[in-house]
Amino acid sequence: ILKKVHDDGANLYISMDGGMMSEFSDITGFELVTKSRSTKTHTAEFDGAVFKLDTMYDMILKAKTAKVLAVNEVGNPVFGVNEYGRGKVYFVSSCIERYASTTPGFADGENKEDYYRLYKAMNLKNPQKIASVNLHTAGITEHIINDTSRYILLINYYYSSNWCTSRRNARTFMQRY
């Protein structure tokens, strides 16, 4: 994966859930100053929204070559991007995916968070892929089979199906791409 980022100009997203890469600083552009076990929930502001960052570890980071995109409430970088060869590496110092999968109401309830803003900023879309979705309550994956065939999977993160009211509508959506 890192070779594709470096040589081919791909974008890579890394979130941290306690592990550590041996070339962390070169890849993410951040230097790890300290790391300690924690049960704190931090907050950070990005793109007009305040996010909860549930962490297993508190990490004090110093930007070396990374551009800092967001800091937590005490000014520590928590979201950034680093040029890595021809590509970019986006880094979040919290495992948003773990938080999302263990928090009831994450997508639509009282614990609703606008994390889609982070993913949107990362622009992880492969330029060879043509499908997209502009709903923050939906996701999409596109799998290129060959030059003329693709599998496109729409993922509804919302408990209701009101944005895609029938199977025919979903099929029509797919046919447009």
Side-chain angles (χ1 to χ4, degrees):
I1 292 175
L2 289 173
K3 183 169 176 39
K4 282 195 154 302
V5 173
H6 189 275
D7 297 348
D8 299 338
N11 288 349
L12 175 64
Y13 161 59
I14 298 172
S15 63
M16 188 65 86
D17 196 23
M20 184 58 70
M21 301 171 285
S22 59
E23 298 174 14
F24 175 79
S25 185
D26 294 336
I27 295 167
T28 66
F30 287 105
E31 177 185 338
L32 179 63
V33 179
T34 63
K35 177 180 169 184
S36 59
R37 194 96 163 110
S38 175
T39 57
K40 295 179 189 173
T41 298
H42 291 284
T43 59
E45 184 178 338
F46 178 75
D47 193 31
V50 176
F51 301 95
K52 292 178 189 169
L53 298 173
D54 186 28
T55 61
M56 293 178 67
Y57 293 90
D58 271 342
M59 292 185 287
I60 306 298
L61 301 171
K62 177 181 172 185
K64 288 178 61 183
T65 57
K67 177 181 177 185
V68 176
L69 301 175
V71 296
N72 65 16
E73 73 279 0
V74 295
N76 190 42
V78 293
F79 180 39
V81 60
N82 188 46
E83 301 287 332
Y84 188 72
R86 294 180 53 210
K88 293 180 181 179
V89 175
Y90 290 87
F91 175 75
V92 176
S93 65
S94 174
C95 187
I96 297 168
E97 298 77 16
R98 180 176 44 81
Y99 180 69
S101 67
T102 59
T103 304
F106 175 83
D108 60 352
E110 65 184 51
N111 294 314
K112 182 179 177 185
E113 298 281 347
D114 290 332
Y115 289 107
Y116 75 92
R117 294 173 191 256
L118 298 175
Y119 293 103
K120 185 177 176 184
M122 291 185 235
N123 190 23
L124 299 174
K125 187 170 170 29
N126 177 333
Q128 295 177 339
K129 296 184 177 184
I130 57 174
S132 64
V133 64
N134 290 326
L135 298 169
H136 69 274
T137 57
I140 190 167
T141 61
E142 179 177 350
H143 307 275
I144 300 171
I145 306 307
N146 56 41
D147 289 343
T148 60
S149 299
R150 297 163 190 271
Y151 289 120
I152 298 173
L153 175 65
L154 298 170
I155 305 159
N156 183 4
Y157 299 127
Y158 194 63
Y159 71 91
S160 170
S161 60
N162 62 355
W163 65 275
C164 183
T165 57
S166 74
R167 189 172 179 176
R168 180 164 187 227
N169 285 350
R171 205 174 300 134
T172 302
F173 176 84
M174 299 279 282
Q175 289 173 354
R176 287 193 309 211
Y177 296 98

